[in-house]
Amino acid sequence: MLRRFFTLFLSLSLLGGCGSYLPSKVPFVQQKQEDEDVRISREFRREAKKKLKLIHHLEVERYVDQIGQRIISVMGPQPFDYRFFVVENSQMNAFAVPGGSIYVYSGLIERVKTTDELAGVIGHEIIHVKSRHAARISGPDPTSLLVLLGIFLARGGSQAQAAGALGGALAATRQLSYNRQLEQEADTLGVKYMAEAGYDPRGALRFLKIIDQERTLNPVDIPSYLMTHPLTQERIAGVETAIRTLRLERPKLEHPDPIKKVQTILRLERQDSDAVIAENERLLGQYPGSAEPMHLLGVAHHNKGRWSETRENYERTRTLNPKSPGIDRDLGRLYTQIGEFRLAHEAFERSLSFEPREPLNHLFLGELFEKESNLREAVGAYLRAHNLSPLWAEPPHRLGIVYGKMNRLGDAYYYLARSHLLSDEDEKAIADLERALKILDPASPRGQVVKDELEAIKARRR
Ligand SMILES: [Zn+2]
């Protein structure tokens, strides 16, 4: 219990830290960095699941993860597994926890104009984790930290209250933030890596300017991002300089920006579909041949289960602009749902030739095979999704279900356990691994893996 309390305390200290930079005051965590940071991250994720409302829409999860992984892929070998989460909250905020858990608020995603701007924020958060900034801020003010701790540990109270209290606590403890030097380091390196990953680094600058504008226009309701990441003119100038030093003839991402679609899904997630439909119908009235409102209208109808409207909107979108973000995947999913299996295969084939390494394409293709009762092919598709995104809990969950249908229960329990493990549900993972162990031959390769994993989880819980 004490240890739990302590690790949580440490994790919360990351939400901020004092303003002054005292390099000599490094927490003892440094001595066993890897273990401790990874543990902090896991503890925090468990608490955050209870206290924050996370968005589990597959397209949204994949969108944010893809940005993060793309940036990480140019950074060389990393000591952590980075995980990205979207919090349903209207505030403009994002924060990182040591050990690689990064949280972005839906309010921030809904306010940016391009994915490049969001990539700027995510790149910046990644650097806070990668460069272990939490360990480099000086000893936190205990009273402010206790306030924060109280919010995360308090039972009861609505999501909005908790979020409001968090914002309030952060406002009351302005000193709980990264200092200027760490902010500048996160800016400079964030801009460098996002550019190398193919994003437009000017997006990072635009984001800082948006948030600076919000502050000027509305000094009462200050974006909460500023509480944990103080913004100064110096920071903006620093990013401008960093961009100038980059060679800008880098390859831009070749894919169309899906930000509008993701923002639409977020609005649909908070039951705003009537407004979304009205808005896009109005746009279509003004610009009848425009693919984007046509596509978004389809997404809204799809969300409501109106198949024929969805089909009409998606098919017309495809005719107007075959490169509208994810249109073939959307069509494939719709055709699967309405039993048009041949058309679904054709749509997924196009989608896969366009984005062969996007795990969602493989996951949805697996759904199609499952609906066709082609379980062997479904396993293949889900395994490909799992291999392309090994930290994503969804593919192993699907694998568990398909293996169950195939009556291969040892494998079914094994993959269900993997899915629980990736969702930080250790107890459920242990229970399923023990079930698998009873069924599998202990001498078989899978039996051996199950035994090893079981021992590893139990050891880590001691
Ligand atoms: Zn920051």
Side-chain angles (χ1 to χ4, degrees):
M1 189 59 216
L2 246 180
R3 167 176 281 178
R4 273 182 78 88
F5 186 86
F6 181 60
T7 44
L8 193 63
F9 186 84
L10 275 177
S11 67
L12 285 165
S13 73
L14 182 270
L15 288 176
C18 277
S20 59
Y21 181 58
L22 299 169
S24 58
K25 275 177 91 180
V26 176
F28 81 96
V29 163
Q30 197 102 57
Q31 291 155 18
K32 35 177 185 168
Q33 200 81 62
E34 263 64 39
D35 277 356
E36 208 50 35
D37 277 8
V38 169
R39 202 204 319 272
I40 286 169
S41 238
R42 193 165 51 243
E43 287 286 329
F44 189 92
R45 288 199 301 270
R46 286 199 187 115
E47 286 305 310
K49 266 212 308 200
K50 291 184 231 157
K51 304 294 190 293
L52 302 171
K53 189 174 180 215
L54 301 178
I55 291 177
H56 288 300
H57 192 286
L58 297 177
E59 292 271 354
V60 176
E61 281 183 343
R62 283 293 318 140
Y63 168 73
V64 173
D65 187 66
Q66 192 198 38
I67 299 170
Q69 301 303 343
R70 195 185 278 269
I71 295 172
I72 290 159
S73 72
V74 300
M75 287 167 42
Q78 293 296 306
F80 313 112
D81 288 332
Y82 290 83
R83 311 279 288 270
F84 300 89
F85 302 92
V86 179
V87 182
E88 188 182 310
N89 188 306
S90 60
Q91 294 188 38
M92 268 185 109
N93 202 4
F95 65 86
V97 180
S101 301
I102 290 170
Y103 293 80
V104 184
Y105 285 34
S106 57
L108 193 151
I109 300 176
E110 287 193 53
R111 299 284 277 288
V112 298
K113 291 213 167 53
T114 63
T115 295
D116 296 319
E117 291 172 22
L118 188 59
V121 176
I122 291 177
H124 176 103
E125 296 302 326
I126 290 173
I127 301 302
H128 278 319
V129 174
K130 173 198 182 310
S131 307
R132 302 183 195 280
H133 285 172
R136 282 165 54 191
I137 50 184
S138 56
D141 172 349
T143 40
S144 345
L145 266 184
L146 282 175
V147 174
L148 288 176
L149 249 185
I151 294 150
F152 274 87
L153 291 181
R155 300 269 164 193
S158 72
Q159 203 55 56
Q161 276 173 326
L166 180 59
L170 289 171
T173 57
R174 290 297 292 273
Q175 76 273 30
L176 281 182
S177 56
Y178 294 114
N179 60 52
R180 273 158 55 199
Q181 182 178 346
L182 298 185
E183 282 305 296
Q184 286 208 326
E185 185 180 317
D187 282 340
T188 311
L189 289 176
V191 160
K192 171 180 179 305
Y193 290 126
M194 77 180 276
E196 282 176 16
Y199 293 106
D200 183 349
R202 287 165 298 188
L205 188 61
R206 276 198 304 274
F207 175 77
L208 291 185
K209 285 184 173 167
I210 292 174
I211 213 150
D212 191 38
Q213 227 170 28
E214 299 257 341
R215 173 173 63 178
T216 323
L217 291 176
N218 187 357
V220 182
D221 190 18
I222 295 171
S224 45
Y225 179 84
L226 292 175
M227 305 301 177
T228 42
H229 307 268
L231 177 64
T232 55
Q233 291 308 313
E234 200 183 345
R235 250 186 92 189
I236 293 178
V239 169
E240 275 168 347
T241 310
I243 292 171
R244 270 200 302 274
T245 61
L246 295 168
R247 280 163 311 203
L248 269 178
E249 64 280 333
R250 294 169 200 283
K252 273 280 293 157
L253 288 179
E254 65 282 18
H255 295 173
D257 192 341
I259 183 69
K260 278 267 175 56
K261 186 171 153 189
V262 172
Q263 289 170 334
T264 299
I265 294 170
L266 289 174
R267 287 179 64 184
L268 297 171
E269 286 286 291
R270 52 179 169 78
Q271 317 295 325
D272 205 15
S273 55
D274 291 339
V276 169
I277 289 173
E279 213 171 277
N280 286 298
E281 275 176 347
R282 189 171 45 75
L283 279 170
L284 272 177
Q286 279 176 292
Y287 313 99
S290 178
E292 187 173 86
M294 185 82 73
H295 193 168
L296 300 181
L297 195 57
V299 170
H301 284 307
H302 203 168
N303 176 266
K304 289 205 143 194
R306 295 178 183 150
W307 308 132
S308 58
E309 287 94 336
T310 312
R311 181 175 185 167
E312 194 190 325
N313 290 134
Y314 282 173
E315 287 178 348
R316 287 177 66 190
T317 302
R318 199 174 182 281
T319 313
L320 291 167
N321 177 14
K323 287 190 172 170
S324 194
I327 184 62
D328 285 317
R329 182 161 70 237
D330 290 339
L331 270 169
R333 201 145 198 235
L334 174 77
Y335 289 141
T336 303
Q337 284 161 328
I338 61 176
E340 294 272 11
F341 296 153
R342 190 185 51 82
L343 289 175
H345 275 291
E346 287 170 11
F348 284 131
E349 235 164 71
R350 292 192 301 264
S351 190
L352 277 163
S353 70
F354 191 50
E355 290 178 297
R357 297 188 57 78
E358 172 49 60
L360 262 187
N361 287 336
H362 296 278
L363 190 91
F364 291 158
L365 179 61
E367 276 181 4
L368 171 59
F369 282 127
E370 226 182 311
K371 259 203 138 177
E372 293 178 304
S373 300
N374 189 347
L375 300 182
R376 184 180 292 270
E377 290 288 350
V379 164
Y382 291 145
L383 277 174
R384 287 193 296 279
H386 188 36
N387 292 336
L388 286 166
S389 184
L391 298 177
W392 189 25
E394 193 65 26
H397 174 74
R398 305 289 180 99
L399 280 165
I401 292 171
V402 181
Y403 275 125
K405 287 185 188 172
M406 295 166 87
N407 215 20
R408 285 175 55 176
L409 296 184
D411 294 318
Y413 283 126
Y414 169 73
Y415 278 107
L416 289 177
R418 286 219 62 77
S419 171
H420 291 314
L421 211 53
L422 292 170
S423 312
D424 302 303
E425 307 264 11
D426 285 13
E427 290 81 5
K428 288 183 188 169
I430 289 174
D432 277 342
L433 286 174
E434 280 170 347
R435 287 186 190 111
L437 210 52
K438 280 190 195 138
I439 297 164
L440 293 165
D441 173 4
S444 69
R446 178 81 86 210
Q448 197 57 50
V449 169
V450 169
K451 230 166 36 193
D452 292 348
E453 287 211 5
L454 202 49
E455 267 167 38
I457 305 172
K458 286 181 171 171
R460 141 181 132 181
R461 285 161 61 84
R462 252 173 238 135

